[in-house]
Amino acid sequence: MRLHVLRCSGGCIGFTGVVFFAVGLTLQFVIDGVVSKQAQDMLPLKGNDSALFQPWVDHGGYGSPIYNEMFVWNLTNPEEYLNGEVPNVEKIGPFVYRMFDWRENVTWSEDPKKENISFTYHNFNVFVPERTDPSLDLKAKVYMPNYALQGVLTAIRTAPISSLEKEAAFFAIREEAKVTRESLLLHRTIDQVMWGFDDPLLTTIVAIANRFHIEVPLAAFIGLQMIDTTAFYAEPSIQYSGTTDYRLTAQYRTWCGKEDLSEFWPLAPEITGSDGWQFSPDPDDIIPLFIDSLPAVVNISKRMKTELQGIHSYIYEITPETWDNSSFFGTTHNLFSPNGVLNATASQTANIFISKPHFLDADPFYMNMVTGVEPGDNDRDNTFIWIEPITGSGIAAKQRIQINLQMSPWLCDAVEGRNNNCSLAEAFVPLMIANQYIDIPPNEADALKSQIYGIPNTVKLVAWILFGLSFALVGWTAFIVKAIRTPHYDKLPENDDIASAVDDYERGERN
């Protein structure tokens, strides 16, 4: 009787162990589906109650503070430079600003699925003295090439008018605006060259250019950056809401009222990609990134897998091909330059070229044109973006660029005529370094981990518990089977014959 019970219980326990193992194995296979379902539920911007709507509105991603570190390059030999010597520069900074960045006037398209979402950007910068070296002075004056004047002169030089008309425009600028070779340089405070100032001279020059039917998109207020960007982002942009395909959430359709970028990049006019806050879930090795400050679409490539505050992520960086002169950005308007810069002339109204800080990875051609610039360092000067792969969310970034102005000998003729005592060496003079840092706060990192890992981790835990129970039950079943198959003999009487006792025991077992 006891063996019969053991056989039944062993079979039940073994079957239960096998079932537990099968269920645990099944759960392991469905985890990917659970994760995908999590992303599908979180990503679409369906309305105010969508999981990612508020982070999307905040634009920083999960309330991440955005800090801008600004360095300016001071031209230390202005007089010598105007006499033909190589420019020498010194880096001053960083001056740290907190950028507040958000979307407003948010509306959904009227189609049943609300496939598109329209909005306008708004951001402004606030100086953060506690993050800035107290020895630095925003009111200190620096010398710097006059990028605004160079922009107007370049607009005249490249305008579709006759050579006589161009010379007449330059002559009018010399006579009426009284520009000289010194006008080619700014001598302003750091605060002014970074954030702008009113320049009556520029107002006069623009008016002269307009008189010759040359459109110059500059005003009297000029600066390398802007404290408040309301005017810059006046027109609405449109992104996919993700309601029809969650993988397209926050991908651009139009930007600031423009359907393409042909006026800036004739060879790369398409508006695509995201602004760095949201990418497609399970992103590819190479994905597009829209940089609205240029504006341009560049490709970023997967570099390595890592972990940031407990969040599994991939680090991406701008592809090396982007900086080639054979790329879309190197051939713009046929302004040749060796590898290592983006030719942003069309979008910046001056011969502006964007590089990595300290000309990192650029052709030595650039470093040979200027002195005072230390060699680039990959960790310090490269751009990196951390992307969480389940949702495609950008959780951190280190974006670094250097703004350079191409200065050429023809500028002397433009401001002083043919017979002048001005001599400019051809150079790409660095003006400023702008570093932007974004890092998800610990409390928001915990919230994101709970959202994306909560259910999958629970499923994994249940699967492993079932695996453990299955092995325990199968092990117990094996023990029972062994017990059944092992003969059990009662203690034999000392005076009985052993063989007889064995026979009696086996007959008892059969009965």
Side-chain angles (χ1 to χ4, degrees), residues 422-457:
C422 173
S423 177
L424 281 181
E426 182 81 23
F428 289 76
V429 183
L431 304 180
M432 188 179 76
I433 291 175
N435 297 336
Q436 187 174 95
Y437 298 104
I438 308 170
D439 197 357
I440 186 170
N443 62 316
E444 297 297 341
D446 291 339
L448 179 60
K449 285 185 287 187
S450 176
Q451 285 181 306
I452 61 179
Y453 300 145
I455 294 178
N457 284 347

Side-chain angles (χ1 to χ4, degrees), residues 39-78:
Q40 292 182 48
D41 292 340
M42 290 176 61
L43 287 183
L45 302 168
K46 301 174 184 178
N48 297 349
D49 58 344
S50 297
L52 295 187
F53 177 76
Q54 196 56 49
W56 176 82
V57 169
D58 292 339
H59 196 199
Y62 294 95
S64 305
I66 305 174
Y67 290 100
N68 291 327
E69 286 187 353
M70 308 295 187
F71 299 82
V72 297
W73 290 99
N74 178 37
L75 182 65
T76 61
N77 60 337

